[in-house]
Amino acid sequence: MDFVCNFPFFSIILAMFCGILSSVLKGPWAKRLCLFMVTAVLVMSSAVLAYTMKTGTSYTYSMGHFPAPWGNEIRAGVLEALTATGFSVIMLLSLLGGMSHIFTDVEETKTNLFFILVDLLMSSLLALIYTNDLFTAYVFVEINTIAACGLIMIKQDGHGIVAAIRYMVMSLLGSGMFLISLSMLYDITGHLLMEPAKEAVGAIVASGSYEVPLLVVIALMSVGLAIKSGLYPFHSWIPETYGYATPAASAILSSLVSKGYIFLLIKVFYRVLGYENVVSSKVINALFVFGLVGMIVGSVKAIKQTDTRKMIAYSSVAQIGYIYMGIGLGTKAGMAAAVFHIFTHAATKSLLFISAVGLYEVSDGKADYRSLRGSGYRNRAAGIAFAVGALSMVGFPMLSGFISKLMFATAAVQSPHKMVATILGLAVSTILNAIYFLRLVISIYSPAEREYGADMSHQASRKLKVASLLFIIVNLVLGLFSQPIVNAIDAGLSMFV
């Protein structure tokens, strides 16, 4: 085995070790260690991606001295490495863009705790991406949940605490359903490693036994992870959670945490249950319907908001709906579109949250439309970055959002029974996206009703400017150079089978 094959394991262990080490460090040193860790993970993930693309195969990495089915394994292929690389980029840019607010929003004695939580969150996301064991996945689902709750409430204000409690209640409900489904799956298959479990599921389907228990397993896994990722109608925790956390935490929570659960669900569909079995169970049709409804309802809710923080948060409900709609199409093209939109939404929504804070800073800290008038001139870097993110969400050509919607429309044509509903949903949702995003873009470039003091564009954080520029570049890369990424996604999905 080549040395690079150790990198997925090294990445997970490094993130966990940095979390432990940060507990005895002060905030500034914990920050440096966290940034070093994320950068190192990015380098290692990129190396794994290059290796798997070159070899054209995936590989498993056994931990300990026990082989399958008793030992624990992680698995790396093109899609896992691509996702780990993408998540590392978004994590790094989110931290850089929101760094100044971490030290102003969080008590000085607790800043190291913020970076401990980020380290644990990074390790759990990597484990969800790479794990080949279902119970290990459940363990890191819980670590992910606890770390996310800590990030939500670390500001120690009323809004954050209420949001964290609401998030915890909904997440525990999803975790419970996921754990029950794992118990039932283990009961009927006798395996927790993904490949042996898939073989056992195939034998069960071929024999026609345990049809009802298997259907319950598929339903519980789907609904459990849908709750945790915020699919409509399980989205009630999203507005408060994303709207009142620190800017870096909001960017990380909206762009990465929910996507980790969706990626795990995709892995389970392909590598445990068998995607053809999931499609034949009709559970996927429910995900399709909820995804379509979420696309519309999330956008309608966003239009009604006067607080732009909640408007951006409700937009995430709509974008999660897009992803589940693609999964619900029941085709490889639909799944590829869903996976691409995971990257699109991760890159764009974090850009929106980070740049929006720059606009609030030059508007007396207010987030309503009237106060934000002219803020695009007062902080030019944030205004441009927000406009690019908004246009991407609407589906402007050359940006990643356009490619996502084009892929969804193309995939819909390959699913005749769902084509009309998908195309109509895309059309209506796009119009609604344009209404609330372009309304805000017009507002930030409209004349202000009063003076807000000095032009803050020259005083804005250098890290915020750099992060915004890099986020824009990532969006343009996803939009202009999408074909190699789509090819990698297709190759990764083929390795899942």
Side-chain angles (χ1 to χ4, degrees):
M1 179 177 287
D2 295 321
F3 183 71
V4 70
C5 297
N6 295 280
F7 284 177
F9 176 72
F10 290 170
S11 298
I12 299 169
I13 293 301
L14 176 64
M16 295 185 70
F17 178 75
C18 288
I20 297 170
L21 186 58
S22 294
S23 64
V24 297
L25 298 177
K26 291 186 177 180
W29 282 103
K31 176 198 76 173
R32 296 184 184 98
L33 183 61
C34 182
L35 292 176
F36 164 76
M37 178 274 295
V38 178
T39 304
V41 169
L42 173 58
V43 172
M44 288 189 286
S45 300
S46 301
V48 175
L49 176 60
Y51 176 80
T52 52
M53 290 289 290
K54 180 181 178 180
T55 60
T57 59
S58 60
Y59 65 90
T60 56
Y61 182 96
S62 298
M63 293 177 286
H65 302 286
F66 299 98
W70 299 281
N72 205 332
E73 295 179 349
I74 56 178
R75 177 188 182 276
V78 171
L79 191 53
E80 290 96 330
L82 179 64
T83 304
T85 303
F87 280 18
S88 301
V89 170
I90 302 304
M91 179 71 82
L92 182 61
L93 296 184
S94 297
L95 288 172
L96 290 175
M99 188 62 71
S100 61
H101 284 269
I102 295 172
F103 287 92
T104 56
D105 292 345
V106 182
E107 291 181 20
E108 184 179 355
T109 57
K110 295 181 179 179
T111 50
N112 71 321
L113 179 59
F114 181 92
F115 294 107
I116 291 171
L117 294 170
V118 171
D119 294 336
L120 293 177
L121 197 63
M122 192 71 201
S123 69
S124 61
L125 287 170
L126 291 169
L128 294 180
I129 291 169
Y130 285 123
T131 186
N132 203 34
D133 180 83
L134 288 168
F135 190 74
T136 301
Y138 171 73
V139 170
F140 280 97
V141 161
E142 292 306 287
I143 294 174
N144 210 41
T145 300
I146 294 170
C149 279
L151 288 177
I152 295 166
M153 66 186 298
I154 200 164
K155 286 175 67 174
Q156 295 287 286
D157 60 8
H159 283 300
I161 293 172
V162 171
I165 293 172
R166 183 174 295 177
Y167 176 80
M168 177 64 81
V169 170
M170 292 300 292
S171 289
L172 289 179
L173 177 61
S175 296
M177 297 178 74
F178 183 66
L179 180 59
I180 293 171
S181 68
L182 289 188
S183 301
M184 293 184 64
L185 183 66
Y186 181 69
D187 187 43
I188 62 177
T189 65
H191 296 285
L192 288 173
L193 282 176
M194 292 186 178
E195 291 176 9
K198 184 176 182 180
E199 293 175 2
V201 169
I204 289 171
V205 172
S207 65
S209 58
Y210 297 116
E211 291 182 357
V212 174
L214 186 58
L215 177 61
V216 174
V217 167
I218 296 172
L220 287 176
M221 278 193 176
S222 301
V223 176
L225 292 175
I227 291 173
K228 296 184 75 67
S229 56
L231 174 65
Y232 178 88
F234 314 113
H235 67 287
S236 59
W237 53 270
I238 286 181
E240 301 288 336
T241 299
Y242 296 172
Y244 294 109
T246 64
S250 294
I252 292 168
L253 291 166
S254 63
S255 59
L256 299 181
V257 174
S258 59
K259 309 307 182 300
Y261 299 131
I262 296 174
F263 188 83
L264 176 61
L265 181 63
I266 293 171
K267 280 183 66 173
V268 170
F269 278 177
Y270 272 94
R271 306 205 57 249
V272 179
L273 301 172
Y275 195 51
E276 64 284 352
N277 299 325
V278 177
V279 173
S280 62
S281 72
K282 307 301 182 184
V283 170
I284 209 162
N285 293 336
L287 298 180
F288 176 78
V289 172
F290 287 142
L292 273 180
V293 176
M295 288 163 54
I296 307 302
V297 173
S299 296
V300 171
K301 291 280 189 179
I303 290 173
K304 293 181 178 180
Q305 302 306 308
T306 56
D307 187 323
T308 56
R309 292 172 297 189
K310 287 192 174 182
M311 181 274 284
I312 299 172
Y314 270 113
S315 169
S316 291
V317 177
Q319 302 306 319
I320 294 294
Y322 276 91
I323 296 171
Y324 277 97
M325 178 202 67
I327 295 173
L329 287 173
T331 62
K332 185 178 179 181
M335 187 64 77
V339 173
F340 187 86
H341 197 63
I342 288 176
F343 297 121
T344 292
H345 185 246
T348 307
K349 191 51 62 75
S350 47
L351 168 61
L352 289 170
F353 273 113
I354 293 298
S355 59
V357 173
L359 301 176
Y360 304 152
E361 285 182 336
V362 294
S363 305
D364 293 342
K366 296 181 179 179
D368 60 282
Y369 286 90
R370 177 172 293 182
S371 298
L372 290 173
R373 291 172 69 91
S375 58
Y377 297 112
R378 298 191 294 273
N379 190 333
R380 298 183 186 279
I384 293 171
F386 189 89
V388 171
L391 291 173
S392 180
M393 286 286 90
V394 172
F396 191 79
M398 298 191 300
L399 298 175
S400 59
F402 173 77
I403 302 299
S404 285
K405 294 186 178 183
L406 180 62
M407 290 181 68
F408 282 125
T410 304
V413 176
Q414 301 178 25
S415 185
H417 299 296
K418 299 174 181 176
M419 179 178 67
V420 175
T422 303
I423 297 299
L424 286 176
L426 286 170
V428 173
S429 181
T430 299
I431 293 171
L432 296 175
N433 290 344
I435 291 173
Y436 61 83
F437 271 123
L438 296 186
R439 174 192 175 192
L440 183 51
V441 172
I442 292 171
S443 293
I444 67 176
Y445 286 108
S446 297
E449 296 181 353
R450 65 180 181 86
E451 293 293 329
Y452 281 90
D455 185 348
M456 295 292 291
S457 61
H458 300 296
Q459 303 174 23
S461 168
R462 183 179 179 182
K463 291 179 181 178
L464 175 61
K465 290 182 177 181
V466 171
S468 297
L469 175 61
L470 293 176
F471 268 128
I472 292 172
I473 292 173
V474 170
N475 227 292
L476 288 171
V477 168
L478 287 170
L480 296 176
F481 305 99
S482 58
Q483 194 56 52
I485 300 171
V486 173
N487 292 340
I489 292 172
D490 287 335
L493 289 174
S494 298
M495 293 179 188
F496 270 4
V497 178

